[in-house]
Amino acid sequence: MADNHVRVFDTTLRDGEQAPGFSLRPAEKLQLARQIDALGVDIIEAGFPIASPADAEAVRQIATEIRRPVIACLARCHRADLEKAAWAIKPAARGRIHTFIATSDLHLKVKLRMSREQCLEAAVESVRYARQQTDDVQFSAEDATRSDIDFLCKVVESVIAVGATTINLPDTVGYTTPDETRDFFDRIRARVPNSDKVIFSTHCHDDLGLAVANSLAAIQGGARQVECTVNGIGERAGNAALEEIVMTLRIRSDRMPFTTSVMTKEIYPASEMLTKLTGQGVQVNKAVVGRNAFAHEAGIHQDGMLKDRRTYEIMRAEDVGAPWNPLVLGKHSGRHAVQRRCADLGFQLDGDELVEVYRGLMSIADDRKVLTDQDIRNVIARARAVQPAPHDAVDPFDTPSAAQPAIHESGYGHGV
Ligand code: MN
């Protein structure tokens, strides 16, 4: 693969699924795996087989049915985990065992009660065993970003020596920053003598809202695999969002000259399926897939959009497979947008009638948050029922009154 190609490792079905409120039944995991396959990701992490018999079964079903991508699953550095993982990916066209152990002193002392030497030995033994089961083995140094760098380099070099093919350096607790991440990957790749034999991977969490920024910085530091999830779901504040990473690489290829294999038109269908299966919606202002990601209520923005959508949109909803109904009517909307929506509903409004309907809508907009098509029909019906004869109509622009709100061509709303 070209040196600028970034492998997308989707962990929606593992890190995402293990977050509170996101658990899925095996049949649901299989259904979502089909859609994630349609997205074109390179690797699907299907689960953590030792966690439950159902999850082991789900991984095995996905490995049996989904043939194109690599199917990975997670295992601690324990023989029982590794055996279960090997069983689960056995039917895969290409199966990967992903084994991990924490390398930070905090995790070693408090959680694992192990010395660094014991940690190193467990990592090496596990990777060696995993390589006897499959030739695709990923090793993750959990809490890598808070680990002693000398020890981390020693672990990474040692597991590469016994056959690890991908080295993942997770920011398990979402602690790092973009500049630190780039430097971290640069340094480790430079210091580990056999680093050219493997693909480096990043896995970032969003505790400080930096997961995507850190993932992109890792790519700039030499990572060529990025771990991420649909809608950014995952432990605590979640993982890096697949759709944000992919669309940043797409839209800003001038600054980030890297490619992925993701079919962007499948992004929104994947997001929607995940929402339906878990019952957990995405925040309305979520980048790329949120309900408001391509919606405009402010009059100044709507006016710009009606003239040329590039004024307020850097990407097209259709490129990510999302519906495009950009003009949301609310109290910040202007007459242009109201006129356009009415026309879409079959009502040609001009002059006084448009003014009347516009005033009617604005008078109820405060209570509505968003004006619906039914609100519009009701207001038009009322306006037409009481509409004075044309020669009686008063042009509000000729007789401005303090009692009436001024009507602006493009409405109110934020211009910046
Ligand atoms: Mn994680």
Side-chain angles (χ1 to χ4, degrees), residues 374-394:
Q374 194 52 48
D375 288 330
I376 295 167
R377 287 195 188 89
N378 292 344
V379 168
I380 291 173
R382 217 174 309 134
R384 289 188 167 172
V386 300
Q387 187 79 17
H391 62 268
D392 293 334
V394 176

Side-chain angles (χ1 to χ4, degrees), residues 15 203 205 239:
D15 206 321
H203 174 112
H205 279 271
N239 286 74

